[in-house]
Amino acid sequence: MANKRNLKKNIKNVCTSLFAECVAVSLYATDNKKINLDPLFFSILKLEDNYLKRVSHVEPGMKAKDYFKDLKTRFISEVTEITDQINALYS
């Protein structure tokens, strides 16, 4: 398992990339699609904040290895969901 510092950096990098992609969509999208971007911006910021906090505080009663495996799985699924929403705005 990577250390917590690297995990936090990876979470920040992924969220920054998602945020930048939303900014790109906002620059090139029509007015109809720009309305849908505000909740996406908020959800990306909330995702980053939530997972950065969860990295620092392991859930009591759970093995660290299992906790971080579950954390990564949930993070990937939420990132995939946001990515699908961004892709829907392109079409």
Side-chain angles (χ1 to χ4, degrees):
M1 177 184 84
N3 61 20
K4 291 180 181 181
R5 183 176 12 157
N6 288 338
L7 186 57
K8 285 182 177 184
K9 283 182 183 179
N10 290 336
I11 290 171
K12 287 180 182 182
N13 288 338
V14 169
C15 291
T16 301
S17 296
L18 287 173
F19 200 85
E21 195 65 32
C22 280
V23 169
V25 169
S26 72
L27 292 174
Y28 299 109
T30 60
D31 291 336
N32 306 6
K33 294 181 180 181
K34 285 184 182 180
I35 295 171
N36 299 334
L37 287 174
D38 288 339
L40 269 177
F41 284 125
F42 178 72
S43 66
I44 293 169
L45 294 174
K46 186 177 169 185
L47 175 80
E48 181 179 15
D49 184 51
N50 182 26
Y51 279 93
L52 288 178
K53 287 179 183 177
R54 289 178 64 189
V55 167
S56 299
H57 303 287
V58 178
E59 207 170 292
M62 194 173 189
K63 291 182 181 179
K65 184 176 182 179
D66 295 335
Y67 177 76
F68 285 110
K69 185 177 180 179
D70 181 57
L71 183 87
K72 289 176 191 177
T73 305
R74 289 181 184 200
F75 180 72
I76 290 170
S77 69
E78 289 189 37
V79 166
T80 304
E81 182 180 318
I82 291 174
T83 305
D84 290 342
Q85 292 174 1
I86 293 171
N87 287 336
L89 292 174
Y90 274 121
S91 53

